[in-house]
PDB file of all heavy atoms in Angstrom:
ATOM      1  N   VAL A  34      86.406  97.399 112.072  1.00  0.00           N
ATOM      2  CA  VAL A  34      87.172  98.623 112.315  1.00  0.00           C
ATOM      3  C   VAL A  34      88.396  98.302 113.164  1.00  0.00           C
ATOM      4  O   VAL A  34      88.295  97.645 114.198  1.00  0.00           O
ATOM      5  CB  VAL A  34      86.293  99.680 113.026  1.00  0.00           C
ATOM      6  CG1 VAL A  34      87.089 100.955 113.292  1.00  0.00           C
ATOM      7  CG2 VAL A  34      85.050  99.984 112.199  1.00  0.00           C
ATOM      8  N   SER A  35      89.558  98.752 112.708  1.00  0.00           N
ATOM      9  CA  SER A  35      90.808  98.516 113.431  1.00  0.00           C
ATOM     10  C   SER A  35      91.009  99.560 114.536  1.00  0.00           C
ATOM     11  O   SER A  35      90.404 100.635 114.509  1.00  0.00           O
ATOM     12  CB  SER A  35      92.001  98.588 112.471  1.00  0.00           C
ATOM     13  OG  SER A  35      91.916  97.560 111.507  1.00  0.00           O
ATOM     14  N   ALA A  36      91.868  99.210 115.469  1.00  0.00           N
ATOM     15  CA  ALA A  36      92.276 100.159 116.513  1.00  0.00           C
ATOM     16  C   ALA A  36      93.657 100.694 116.142  1.00  0.00           C
ATOM     17  O   ALA A  36      94.468  99.978 115.558  1.00  0.00           O
ATOM     18  CB  ALA A  36      92.332  99.459 117.858  1.00  0.00           C
ATOM     19  N   THR A  37      93.916 101.952 116.459  1.00  0.00           N
ATOM     20  CA  THR A  37      95.225 102.537 116.169  1.00  0.00           C
ATOM     21  C   THR A  37      95.584 103.610 117.192  1.00  0.00           C
ATOM     22  O   THR A  37      94.700 104.221 117.803  1.00  0.00           O
ATOM     23  CB  THR A  37      95.276 103.141 114.753  1.00  0.00           C
ATOM     24  OG1 THR A  37      96.605 103.593 114.471  1.00  0.00           O
ATOM     25  CG2 THR A  37      94.330 104.329 114.611  1.00  0.00           C
ATOM     26  N   THR A  38      96.892 103.822 117.322  1.00  0.00           N
ATOM     27  CA  THR A  38      97.364 104.889 118.202  1.00  0.00           C
ATOM     28  C   THR A  38      97.758 106.134 117.407  1.00  0.00           C
ATOM     29  O   THR A  38      98.181 107.119 117.999  1.00  0.00           O
ATOM     30  CB  THR A  38      98.588 104.417 119.023  1.00  0.00           C
ATOM     31  OG1 THR A  38      99.641 104.041 118.119  1.00  0.00           O
ATOM     32  CG2 THR A  38      98.230 103.232 119.903  1.00  0.00           C
ATOM     33  N   ARG A  39      97.635 106.070 116.082  1.00  0.00           N
ATOM     34  CA  ARG A  39      98.017 107.254 115.295  1.00  0.00           C
ATOM     35  C   ARG A  39      96.988 108.361 115.483  1.00  0.00           C
ATOM     36  O   ARG A  39      95.846 108.121 115.863  1.00  0.00           O
ATOM     37  CB  ARG A  39      98.212 106.900 113.815  1.00  0.00           C
ATOM     38  CG  ARG A  39      96.955 106.774 112.995  1.00  0.00           C
ATOM     39  CD  ARG A  39      97.267 107.072 111.521  1.00  0.00           C
ATOM     40  NE  ARG A  39      96.195 106.739 110.617  1.00  0.00           N
ATOM     41  CZ  ARG A  39      95.095 107.460 110.443  1.00  0.00           C
ATOM     42  NH1 ARG A  39      94.863 108.530 111.180  1.00  0.00           N
ATOM     43  NH2 ARG A  39      94.204 107.081 109.540  1.00  0.00           N
ATOM     44  N   ALA A  40      97.406 109.590 115.191  1.00  0.00           N
ATOM     45  CA  ALA A  40      96.518 110.745 115.353  1.00  0.00           C
ATOM     46  C   ALA A  40      95.384 110.692 114.332  1.00  0.00           C
ATOM     47  O   ALA A  40      95.556 110.208 113.213  1.00  0.00           O
ATOM     48  CB  ALA A  40      97.318 112.031 115.184  1.00  0.00           C
ATOM     49  N   LYS A  41      94.240 111.196 114.740  1.00  0.00           N
ATOM     50  CA  LYS A  41      93.080 111.242 113.862  1.00  0.00           C
ATOM     51  C   LYS A  41      93.314 112.289 112.771  1.00  0.00           C
ATOM     52  O   LYS A  41      93.773 113.405 113.056  1.00  0.00           O
ATOM     53  CB  LYS A  41      91.848 111.628 114.684  1.00  0.00           C
ATOM     54  CG  LYS A  41      90.513 111.446 113.970  1.00  0.00           C
ATOM     55  CD  LYS A  41      89.362 112.028 114.778  1.00  0.00           C
ATOM     56  CE  LYS A  41      89.230 111.367 116.132  1.00  0.00           C
ATOM     57  NZ  LYS A  41      88.079 111.945 116.902  1.00  0.00           N
TER      58      LYS A  41
END
Side-chain angles (χ1 to χ4, degrees):
V34 180
S35 296
T37 185
T38 60
R39 79 154 169 77
K41 192 188 300 181

